[in-house]
Amino acid sequence: IIPAANAAEEEKPSYPAPNFKLYQTDYYTDEYVIAGYTVQDFGAKGDGVTDDTKAFQDAIDAAAAAGGCTIWVPEGRYAIKGNLVMKQGVSINGEIDTPGRDKAVKGTILQAYAGRGSIEGDPFIMMQPVTGIHDLAIWYPEQEADNIQPYPPAIQMGDPSVWGNDYVTVDNIEFVNAYLGYKNNPNMGGCPIVRNIYGTPLKSGIRIDSLADVGRIENCDFHRCIGKTRDFRELPAIKIRTEATYMKTV
């Protein structure tokens, strides 16, 4: 008697094979972007209104199923109403203008909504080992200056369901009104690369604990400023009176 195939295996989704291309960015980057997928391949709109959560996660899952590759996210405002899990071997690459005082944030912008009201809960983006996020901004459009609300981390190094938190790269990221920018999962891990991180975290910019091996954190510039409006286009007009770099180690 031949046993029936496992139902879960029968229902396993199939994805198109990656189509690797070299993408030209509209903003300066010191790296070439060669990606196997774009989020538009999976239906992402990038119009700031349509919920693109599923399109992003489908792209991530497809890249993981292909053995790992980069996903290209061109300039746009992507509303992400849920949470994202970066699977092993997958990187996301956007494009972003170099941040600066009173400059508008231009390029790939992810709008984060999930978790309002509590610092506990799933991070906006959870990163499994050997993953990367490059060249984009994360904006919390429902955060208000006169009623600041806690949120879970915007980016978390480490997935509690996966052994090891090693070799996570977060590069050229701007946090706009994130309550907690980047943190690592307290499970032991090592070798993170966190560099060129900017923005306006409201509680902690970077929180690191329990590293098992050498990592690198460099060129992180945070300032005390929160937009007084939910209209993203008006945020650059808010004057920044003081600047400082915040990093918390525990």
Side-chain angles (χ1 to χ4, degrees), residues 42-242:
F42 299 86
K45 302 300 183 184
D47 57 12
V49 177
T50 305
D51 185 359
D52 286 326
T53 306
K54 186 177 185 303
F56 269 70
Q57 194 61 58
D58 284 350
I60 293 167
D61 293 347
C69 68
T70 295
I71 301 163
W72 169 238
V73 186
E75 181 172 10
R77 288 171 50 180
Y78 299 87
I80 309 293
K81 300 295 181 68
N83 307 88
L84 301 175
V85 178
M86 294 291 297
K87 303 290 183 66
Q88 294 186 57
V90 177
S91 291
I92 284 180
N93 230 111
E95 53 181 338
I96 191 170
D97 194 11
T98 304
R101 179 185 289 269
D102 294 333
K103 285 184 65 175
V105 181
K106 298 178 181 178
T108 302
I109 300 165
L110 307 188
Q111 299 175 194
Y113 296 90
R116 178 179 169 86
S118 175
I119 199 170
E120 305 298 331
D122 292 334
F124 176 57
I125 301 176
M126 183 181 293
M127 302 184 69
Q128 293 183 358
V130 197
T131 53
I133 301 176
H134 309 267
D135 300 293
L136 56 81
I138 299 175
W139 170 41
Y140 286 76
E142 294 185 337
Q143 192 63 274
E144 300 180 19
D146 57 356
N147 185 30
I148 292 175
Q149 295 291 312
Y151 281 84
I155 298 174
Q156 177 175 296
M157 167 189 168
D159 180 345
S161 69
V162 177
W163 185 86
N165 298 328
D166 298 328
Y167 304 110
V168 166
T169 298
V170 178
D171 179 37
N172 215 27
I173 303 297
E174 185 164 8
F175 296 122
V176 183
N177 295 351
Y179 190 73
L180 172 55
Y182 171 95
K183 70 169 294 221
N184 71 317
N185 186 279
N187 295 337
M188 198 67 72
C191 305
I193 296 177
V194 182
R195 64 183 182 184
N196 304 329
I197 311 297
Y198 311 93
T200 57
L202 305 179
K203 180 176 175 63
S204 299
I206 297 173
R207 185 177 292 182
I208 297 289
D209 189 15
S210 301
L211 285 184
D213 205 344
V214 176
R216 174 169 292 181
I217 301 173
E218 60 185 17
N219 195 23
C220 301
D221 187 1
F222 302 140
H223 54 74
R224 299 167 182 165
C225 169
I226 178 172
K228 297 179 180 178
T229 173
R230 294 186 183 183
D231 187 343
F232 187 80
R233 293 167 298 179
E234 297 181 20
L235 289 179
I238 305 298
K239 297 297 182 182
I240 301 168
R241 295 185 177 179
T242 59

